[in-house]
Amino acid sequence: MNIKKIFNLIMAIAFAFSLLGIPASALAQEYSPNIQVTTSRLQIIGSGWPVGSEITLSIDGVANGAGVDYTEKTTMQPSSWDPYTIVANFDLNGNFTFYPGDVITMTDGSIPMTYTVQVVTLTNIDTQADTASGTGTPGDQLLICVSWIDFCAFRRYVIVDSSGDWVVDFSQPGPDGQETIDILPGYNVRVIDQDEYGNHTCEFWDVQFPDMEVTTNTPQHIIGSGWLIGSEIILSIDSASNGVGIDYTEKTTMQPTQWDANSIKAIFQLDQKFTLHPGDIITMTDGVTPINYTVQELELTNINVQTGVVSGTGTPGDQLLICVSRTNFCTVRRYVTVDSSEDWIADFGQPGPEGQETIILQPGDEVRPIDQDENGNRTVQLWTVPIPPYFTVRANYDHQVEAYLWDMGDTLTLTIDNPATANNPDYTATQTTGTAPWDPSQTYVLFNFSDAYDIQLGDVVDISNGSITKTTVVSNLTITNVHLDTDIVEGTAEPSQIINVRTCWQDICANRDETAAQDGHWLANFAIPGEQDWEQDTLNIQPGSWIDSSVSDEDYDSTMFGWYVPTDMTPPTITWVGNISIGYNYYFDFVPSEPTCIANDLSGVDGPCIVMGYSTTIGAHTLTATARDMAGNIATEKRSYTVLPWTLKGFYQPVDMNDVYNIVKGDSTVPLKFEIFASSTELTDIAYIKSLTYVQTSCDVNATTDEIETIATGNTSLRYLDGQFIYNWKTPNTAGRCYRVTMTTIDNSTLVAYFKLK
């Protein structure tokens, strides 16, 4: 055996023990991370990164060119099968389907691992010959394991031939003396194609006795289990009513079911193609392993919801399993024996003989009587506890009551009583049950009284056919807003009340169950999947959509509130509120206050009208008003304006301007006189002046100079006097130096003068 084979064997054994739950520290802690791919189960497992690491999975599908087609994240944590085995487990069922040739990358952000999915199939397990066979990549070495009590207790290594086929024979000793094994039901057969890094593609199969399940009530169907995935299964039926001979045959393939990708079945829906009867002989085979079964006498004849008693008929002496399924299959069960009169009774209202729990039957519960033989073949009936007759009350739309599931031809009497009035009832009407326009198999009655009575919150509504009377109280339910940009519906109801919200667009519908908060507010988000399995559909709510909401009482009668999203394509109109006009000029500190806006629309306005862009700084500005209506239309309007600076005049005499250097004695006082105008308005408040400053500057020998003739005395404070601002500047006592004096107003306009001291 060469070095590569030895290494591959070591890695395969390490992988095998990892699945047994032996800690990584006991085996291959020094190994790099690796990727394990099981193609039929669409499962990818990463190993070898530190516990707690966030692992990012990326898949580049070979069928559509280079580029990542799927990505997902999870955390390295103890596996579900062993707390000592740390893995990143990605179950892609329903999210992405990968194929041989697809490139898989996993990384914790610092250590990446890339692997290409290999061709690996397990096409046949012959329990008579004790052989396993399949396909793979020509030239690859595969590890074939048979596990019973221990993982990979029996193993063979095989090279895929040039045709892509492989076969191993466990009835003969292996080339290195590996022992033989008689492959039996209960064993697990696994094929592994592993690279030098420990990455591998895997397929496996749990060997079982094939069996069949025959459901004899409508819709009749037969389900086969236990053959290999992909096997072609042939069904044959010999009817007991017309002598020996095949009366019906059909073929299908063992494949994952719609309800569970890990459940491999051959399903035959007989529908109207053939009708099963007790005594019919059914044969199913994959061409290697056949099974035969005779359909048994079995009927479920009554379900008493009030008492929890279920009864029916069967073959005398047979033991039956009676299952009630609610949150999971066979939530509560009873075992009963059919008596000599062919009758059986199961009481779920009382504890079972071995203390099995009781259950109060509810509409929607599934009840199954099962008659199973020693080989696991069984006759089954499936019944669902029926929903009782019920009705819905629409308080906001058309003011109507709709009744469902009442017997055809029933005369139904509707009464409505407003407890706040003296009348009792306030409204009454009679209708006869007919068929539903959308489904002739359903019964339906519509009471439409929009002009006759206005349903109110708290009204007591009754419907009766003379023997059954149903009652509900109109509940506090409303839809208050629909956000087309986020696909969110919100409303109000009673605190903690459960609201069902449903909407459709074209052929797609989505449902959400939401619970009202303590203030009664509820919110349904159709942009993301919900929490329940049946809430996974998302929907882009469009103009023209109809949205229904309902709250039900304990007897399935409900209050409904509908909302039609209008097909309004016209954006809202915007009205400006304020004194800023289009194209106007405003002087600093005289700009009108920030404007607002008001929006109007036939379908309603979604949120406030908003104005952006307001400013009082000097320069050009643009205001933008934006509004959105309930149909998602957006309106914008703009208007521009300009803020102008003030006009400064001065400094007046005795100070010369225009870069002239005024010559003055040091430690003397110079009067700085000036005026400020906003357009023609003179500003006289000293608050408009931001600062009066001076700073030493260089003396320009080429500058024009002028001797100041007038020197001020007295108060140096800034003041407005005799039509001008006056500030007596006390010059420094620094002969021969030059200074720049600056007066700055609050709009940042300036007057500048230069001085040279002597």
Side-chain angles (χ1 to χ4, degrees), residues 11-215:
M11 294 301 294
I13 294 172
F15 163 67
F17 278 99
S18 73
L19 292 182
L20 271 176
I22 295 178
S25 60
L27 281 169
Q29 194 171 35
E30 71 277 10
Y31 293 153
S32 300
N34 59 73
I35 299 171
Q36 307 158 22
V37 178
T38 304
T39 52
S40 64
R41 299 198 174 188
L42 296 178
Q43 183 182 48
I44 301 174
I45 296 176
S47 302
W49 286 278
V51 62
S53 302
E54 183 180 67
I55 304 300
T56 301
L57 165 73
S58 302
I59 304 177
D60 178 7
V62 69
N64 53 7
V68 174
D69 299 291
Y70 179 80
T71 186
E72 185 180 342
K73 294 182 179 181
T74 191
T75 304
M76 292 291 295
Q77 56 189 323
S79 68
S80 59
W81 59 87
D82 184 350
Y84 295 105
T85 300
I86 309 301
V87 298
N89 187 14
F90 296 92
D91 187 353
L92 303 190
N93 180 31
N95 297 324
F96 186 83
T97 301
F98 53 80
Y99 300 95
D102 288 359
V103 178
I104 297 174
T105 300
M106 297 176 74
T107 181
D108 64 349
S110 58
I111 306 175
M113 176 59 70
T114 299
Y115 176 63
T116 301
V117 180
Q118 300 299 301
V119 177
V120 173
T121 67
L122 181 58
T123 58
N124 185 53
I125 299 173
D126 189 334
T127 56
Q128 277 74 42
D130 298 319
T131 61
S133 58
T135 63
T137 302
D140 278 11
Q141 178 179 258
L142 307 180
L143 169 63
I144 316 299
C145 284
V146 176
S147 303
W148 182 33
I149 296 175
D150 296 323
F151 177 83
C152 220
F154 307 90
R155 68 185 66 204
R156 297 287 189 274
Y157 290 92
V158 62
I159 302 295
V160 181
D161 67 22
S162 59
S163 299
D165 299 318
W166 61 267
V167 60
V168 294
D169 186 352
F170 284 94
S171 69
Q172 301 296 321
D176 295 322
Q178 295 99 327
E179 59 186 308
T180 62
I181 178 66
D182 183 13
I183 300 176
L184 297 171
Y187 289 11
N188 174 279
V189 180
R190 187 180 302 258
V191 53
I192 302 167
D193 187 341
Q194 181 166 286
D195 68 12
E196 63 271 24
Y197 301 107
N199 306 306
H200 62 264
T201 304
C202 170
E203 279 297 347
F204 62 89
W205 187 255
D206 294 321
V207 181
Q208 21 178 323
F209 284 115
D211 62 65
M212 71 176 77
E213 178 177 291
V214 181
T215 300

Side-chain angles (χ1 to χ4, degrees), residues 407-725:
D407 289 341
M408 180 67 69
D410 274 359
T411 298
L412 300 184
T413 300
L414 166 72
T415 61
I416 305 176
D417 177 49
N418 184 341
T421 68
N423 297 328
N424 187 5
D426 293 271
Y427 178 82
T428 185
T430 301
Q431 293 273 11
T432 300
T433 305
T435 58
W438 60 89
D439 185 354
S441 67
Q442 291 189 28
T443 62
Y444 175 74
V445 171
L446 170 63
F447 294 90
N448 195 340
F449 45 89
S450 57
D451 296 330
Y453 184 77
D454 184 14
I455 297 178
Q456 300 294 319
L457 173 66
D459 280 358
V460 179
V461 183
D462 292 338
I463 287 186
S464 177
N465 65 355
S467 59
I468 300 174
T469 299
K470 302 293 297 299
T471 301
T472 196
V473 177
V474 177
S475 182
N476 178 25
L477 173 67
T478 60
I479 295 175
T480 58
N481 210 345
V482 176
H483 302 277
L484 295 184
D485 55 340
T486 59
D487 299 317
I488 289 175
V489 180
E490 59 180 320
T492 60
E494 297 295 335
S496 302
Q497 200 165 36
I498 297 175
I499 304 98
N500 176 260
V501 188
R502 173 183 173 86
T503 185
C504 298
W505 179 249
Q506 297 179 343
D507 296 330
I508 301 175
C509 294
N511 288 270
R512 297 289 185 271
D513 267 2
E514 306 296 342
T515 301
Q518 290 306 304
D519 63 357
H521 179 261
W522 58 265
L523 181 150
N525 190 343
F526 288 94
I528 59 176
E531 297 178 356
Q532 304 299 324
D533 292 342
W534 49 270
E535 294 181 313
Q536 298 309 297
D537 289 323
T538 59
L539 197 71
N540 182 14
I541 301 175
Q542 300 288 326
S545 298
W546 174 256
I547 303 170
D548 244 339
S549 61
S550 64
V551 293
S552 298
D553 61 20
E554 67 280 357
D555 202 21
Y556 300 94
D557 303 312
S558 62
T559 300
M560 303 191 72
F561 191 103
W563 181 289
Y564 176 73
V565 181
T567 55
D568 173 19
M569 303 304 293
T570 303
T573 59
I574 293 175
T575 302
W576 290 86
V577 179
N579 296 318
I580 292 183
S581 301
I582 298 175
Y584 270 46
N585 295 329
Y586 301 96
Y587 281 89
F588 182 83
D589 204 46
F590 294 90
V591 181
S593 60
E594 183 174 4
T596 59
C597 59
I598 298 173
N600 290 284
D601 192 86
L602 292 176
S603 65
V605 178
D606 185 6
C609 185
I610 298 174
V611 175
M612 303 287 288
Y614 177 76
S615 177
T616 60
T617 60
I618 293 172
H621 304 287
T622 300
L623 297 169
T624 302
T626 305
R628 182 188 185 96
D629 65 18
M630 297 303 296
N633 302 301
I634 298 176
T636 59
E637 287 191 9
K638 297 180 182 293
R639 53 178 53 183
S640 298
Y641 66 99
T642 301
V643 179
L644 301 176
W646 295 334
T647 300
L648 308 185
K649 296 182 179 182
F651 297 118
Y652 295 134
Q653 289 295 322
V655 177
D656 290 318
M657 303 294 285
N658 302 320
D659 296 332
V660 172
Y661 277 76
N662 296 275
I663 299 176
V664 65
K665 286 185 176 181
D667 200 30
S668 62
T669 303
V670 178
L672 301 176
K673 304 175 182 179
F674 56 93
E675 291 178 283
I676 305 172
F677 291 88
S679 185
S680 60
T681 302
E682 184 172 6
L683 308 182
T684 61
D685 194 330
I686 62 173
Y688 291 125
I689 298 171
K690 182 178 181 180
S691 63
L692 273 158
T693 61
Y694 70 91
V695 63
Q696 184 177 331
T697 184
S698 62
C699 295
D700 188 347
V701 297
N702 297 317
T704 303
T705 60
D706 185 44
E707 193 88 21
I708 287 184
E709 297 84 4
T710 303
I711 302 297
T713 60
N715 189 5
T716 61
S717 63
L718 175 66
R719 59 201 182 276
Y720 185 85
L721 182 67
D722 298 331
Q724 61 185 355
F725 289 99

Side-chain angles (χ1 to χ4, degrees), residues 182-501:
D182 183 13
I183 300 176
L184 297 171
Y187 289 11
N188 174 279
V189 180
R190 187 180 302 258
V191 53
I192 302 167
D193 187 341
Q194 181 166 286
D195 68 12
E196 63 271 24
Y197 301 107
N199 306 306
H200 62 264
T201 304
C202 170
E203 279 297 347
F204 62 89
W205 187 255
D206 294 321
V207 181
Q208 21 178 323
F209 284 115
D211 62 65
M212 71 176 77
E213 178 177 291
V214 181
T215 300
T216 56
N217 64 320
T218 303
Q220 290 189 337
H221 58 275
I222 302 171
I223 299 176
S225 304
W227 290 280
L228 280 172
I229 186 172
S231 301
E232 183 181 68
I233 305 301
I234 302 172
L235 167 74
S236 302
I237 304 176
D238 177 8
S239 174
S241 63
N242 57 5
V244 177
I246 301 301
D247 298 287
Y248 180 80
T249 186
E250 186 179 343
K251 295 179 181 179
T252 193
T253 303
M254 293 290 294
Q255 56 188 330
T257 63
Q258 293 181 345
W259 61 87
D260 184 356
N262 295 323
S263 178
I264 312 302
K265 307 287 185 184
I267 302 177
F268 297 90
Q269 297 286 358
L270 298 184
D271 299 325
Q272 298 179 358
K273 295 178 288 188
F274 188 86
T275 302
L276 293 169
H277 297 94
D280 290 354
I281 299 174
I282 302 175
T283 300
M284 297 178 74
T285 182
D286 64 347
V288 177
T289 308
I291 56 172
N292 299 296
Y293 178 63
T294 301
V295 181
Q296 299 298 299
E297 291 274 2
L298 183 65
E299 292 284 346
L300 191 155
T301 58
N302 186 57
I303 299 174
N304 191 316
V305 176
Q306 283 72 34
T307 63
V309 173
V310 178
S311 58
T313 61
T315 302
D318 279 9
Q319 185 182 65
L320 309 180
L321 169 62
I322 315 300
C323 282
V324 175
S325 302
R326 183 175 295 169
T327 56
N328 57 292
F329 177 77
C330 223
T331 308
V332 181
R333 65 187 66 199
R334 296 288 187 271
Y335 290 95
V336 300
T337 300
V338 182
D339 66 22
S340 58
S341 300
E342 303 183 354
D343 297 321
W344 58 266
I345 294 177
D347 188 352
F348 290 92
Q350 301 294 326
E354 298 178 359
Q356 296 99 327
E357 61 183 311
T358 63
I359 190 170
I360 298 173
L361 296 178
Q362 297 178 0
D365 286 348
E366 294 180 345
V367 182
R368 288 179 176 85
I370 303 171
D371 189 340
Q372 180 168 299
D373 67 14
E374 66 277 6
N375 296 317
N377 304 306
R378 54 206 175 272
T379 299
V380 177
Q381 288 211 331
L382 170 60
W383 294 92
T384 301
V385 178
I387 298 174
Y390 68 96
F391 66 90
T392 63
V393 181
R394 290 191 177 276
N396 77 306
Y397 189 82
D398 286 344
H399 294 288
Q400 56 187 218
V401 174
E402 297 168 284
Y404 303 85
L405 302 184
W406 298 78
D407 289 341
M408 180 67 69
D410 274 359
T411 298
L412 300 184
T413 300
L414 166 72
T415 61
I416 305 176
D417 177 49
N418 184 341
T421 68
N423 297 328
N424 187 5
D426 293 271
Y427 178 82
T428 185
T430 301
Q431 293 273 11
T432 300
T433 305
T435 58
W438 60 89
D439 185 354
S441 67
Q442 291 189 28
T443 62
Y444 175 74
V445 171
L446 170 63
F447 294 90
N448 195 340
F449 45 89
S450 57
D451 296 330
Y453 184 77
D454 184 14
I455 297 178
Q456 300 294 319
L457 173 66
D459 280 358
V460 179
V461 183
D462 292 338
I463 287 186
S464 177
N465 65 355
S467 59
I468 300 174
T469 299
K470 302 293 297 299
T471 301
T472 196
V473 177
V474 177
S475 182
N476 178 25
L477 173 67
T478 60
I479 295 175
T480 58
N481 210 345
V482 176
H483 302 277
L484 295 184
D485 55 340
T486 59
D487 299 317
I488 289 175
V489 180
E490 59 180 320
T492 60
E494 297 295 335
S496 302
Q497 200 165 36
I498 297 175
I499 304 98
N500 176 260
V501 188

